Amino acid sequence: MSESPDSPMVHEAVGPDLPLGEAVAALALGVIALLFAGILPALLGALGEEHRLSAAGMGLSATFEGLTMGLTTAAAGILLPPRHLKGIGATAALVLAGADFASLQAHDGGILLVRTLAGVPEGILLWLTTAMIARTVTPERWAGIFFAALTAGQLVAALLCAEWVLPAYGADGGFAMLALAGVAGIAIAVFLPASYAPLPQSESESGAPPRRGWFALFATLIFIGASSTVGVYLVPLALEAGLSADVARTAIWVSLAAQIAGGAASTVLAGHIRWLTVFAVSTVVTIATWLVFLGHPAGWIFIAANALGGFVSILIAAFIVPMTIEVDPSRRTAVLGGSTQVLAGALGPFAASRVVADDNVHGAIVLGSVSLLIGMALIAALHFTSARNNHTL
């Protein structure tokens, strides 16, 4: 679809200016890809209440869908050329809608199979978003815009599920809502650009990141995975602190609102603050919020701490992109940053499940804190070695 000369343009794109409508379409498809994450706890809970999925199956469903999504995004970043984007986006949205519809009335193994397969089109849609963000001069600003839009969409979807869809229609109503979002994605894909500009690399370079790029992705996996290690156990953490499940559920909604604010803050801070400063401050703040969970705080303190953690988590996610670009200026690593964060979100809860018990989940905080500090140390080492290498050139 051609844009008129008077159409708003994204002038900070790498390569030719990108029409604003095409950029918005790319971001919107990423929101659709990750929309399920905002209602996943509610959906899995509904499936359990309907005796369609066991407690173990709930964890496996979340892990498998996250893994296939992250791996698909990574594979697309390495293997897919940034061409024929409209067709790729429309096809992926159609397949995702089909997978969501196929989840209706599915039970046990059927749910696991369909949700695992749903991660493939979700991963391709996310690749369309991350590939666009990686091709901007201030990717942290566009990542912040994306995360703010994503959290807002997830918040709306979660509220709809809690107040209307799930009470009236059960888990199938939630899957139907996701399927309709996929159908909408087919129309949105029409507004994608036909292709993205090439990344700044020589003809001899492959689509895979260099060695330091892979190391940056490994550090990201540990660093981002730490947050999901703790976040998945928010309800039992509240109960062990002497609070009610209602306090935990309130903390989740407030945290989503704080994440929207965090996304907005990242757009303001982009280009004005060093990414390493954001990481260091966010690491300290995150561990401080987790220490609150270990005590017996008042309900409002628990909610406020979780909101603060949500705020800095979006700052971290947005500033991952400039970190990977510093390590790998070809931006091949940056294209894989989104998939790495999805994988981290899937692997964190799996790792935490090995260190918790039914009556004590504080091991998740210990594991999360250690992982966060290790990830921060690896990322700092990458930064200082990059600075030293640049100084010697």
Side-chain angles (χ1 to χ4, degrees):
M1 178 173 292
S2 62
E3 296 281 342
S4 68
D6 296 329
S7 298
M9 306 292 286
V10 177
H11 298 294
E12 61 175 22
V14 173
D17 289 345
L18 185 66
L20 182 60
E22 295 180 355
V24 170
L27 296 177
L29 290 179
V31 172
I32 291 173
L34 289 170
L35 194 63
F36 80 98
I39 64 173
L40 188 61
L43 263 182
L44 293 176
L47 287 170
E49 291 174 354
E50 296 169 15
H51 305 291
R52 293 167 58 183
L53 198 61
S54 66
M58 293 178 192
L60 290 175
S61 178
T63 298
F64 290 167
E65 186 167 359
L67 284 175
T68 54
M69 182 181 184
L71 292 173
T72 299
T73 305
I78 295 173
L79 302 175
L80 285 182
R83 300 189 294 272
H84 311 299
L85 302 181
K86 298 177 189 289
I88 291 174
T91 301
L94 176 62
V95 174
L96 177 58
D100 290 329
F101 277 124
S103 300
L104 303 181
Q105 300 301 315
H107 289 71
D108 298 314
I111 286 286
L112 294 180
L113 175 62
V114 173
R115 298 322 303 171
T116 300
L117 295 176
V120 175
E122 287 167 346
I124 292 175
L125 292 177
L126 182 60
W127 166 71
L128 291 168
T129 302
T130 57
M132 188 280 289
I133 292 174
R135 288 168 168 81
T136 59
V137 176
T138 54
E140 63 269 35
R141 173 177 292 119
W142 286 95
I145 293 171
F146 170 61
F147 285 120
L150 170 63
T151 309
Q154 290 177 338
L155 178 58
V156 171
L159 288 174
L160 282 174
C161 279
E163 300 298 327
W164 173 52
V165 175
L166 294 182
Y169 304 103
D172 283 348
F175 287 124
M177 184 177 70
L178 291 175
L180 292 176
V183 172
I186 301 172
I188 293 173
V190 175
F191 296 92
L192 286 171
S195 62
Y196 289 139
L199 291 171
Q201 62 186 52
S202 66
E203 292 297 324
S204 62
E205 289 179 314
S206 68
R211 185 181 305 171
R212 284 175 57 81
W214 285 115
F215 189 86
L217 294 175
F218 174 71
T220 299
L221 191 71
I222 296 175
F223 193 69
I224 297 297
S227 294
S228 62
T229 297
V230 177
V232 72
Y233 290 104
L234 190 65
V235 173
L237 281 170
L239 296 177
E240 289 183 24
L243 303 171
S244 68
D246 287 338
V247 170
R249 285 191 285 266
T250 300
I252 293 173
W253 301 127
V254 175
S255 178
L256 283 170
Q259 289 175 42
I260 297 174
S266 67
T267 67
V268 175
L269 294 174
H272 301 290
I273 188 172
R274 295 168 62 89
W275 63 262
L276 187 63
T277 301
V278 172
F279 278 32
V281 173
S282 297
T283 296
V284 173
V285 171
T286 299
I287 293 178
T289 63
W290 292 345
L291 291 177
V292 171
F293 298 160
L294 289 176
H296 289 77
W300 71 269
I301 295 178
F302 187 95
I303 293 169
N306 194 57
L308 183 59
F311 179 88
V312 298
S313 72
I314 293 300
L315 286 180
I316 292 173
F319 280 84
I320 285 287
V321 185
M323 182 273 287
T324 56
I325 291 176
E326 177 182 281
V327 173
D328 174 20
S330 75
R331 301 183 182 234
R332 288 171 289 162
T333 303
V335 171
L336 301 181
S339 62
T340 303
Q341 293 184 51
V342 172
L343 286 173
L347 294 176
F350 179 78
S353 68
R354 320 314 300 173
V355 297
V356 298
D358 289 341
D359 58 348
N360 188 348
V361 297
H362 288 169
I365 292 180
V366 176
L367 177 61
S369 299
V370 171
S371 298
L372 198 66
L373 291 173
I374 292 175
M376 183 70 242
L378 295 176
I379 289 171
L382 277 170
H383 169 70
F384 290 118
T385 54
S386 294
R388 187 178 64 226
N389 291 339
N390 291 335
H391 181 71
T392 58
L393 290 179

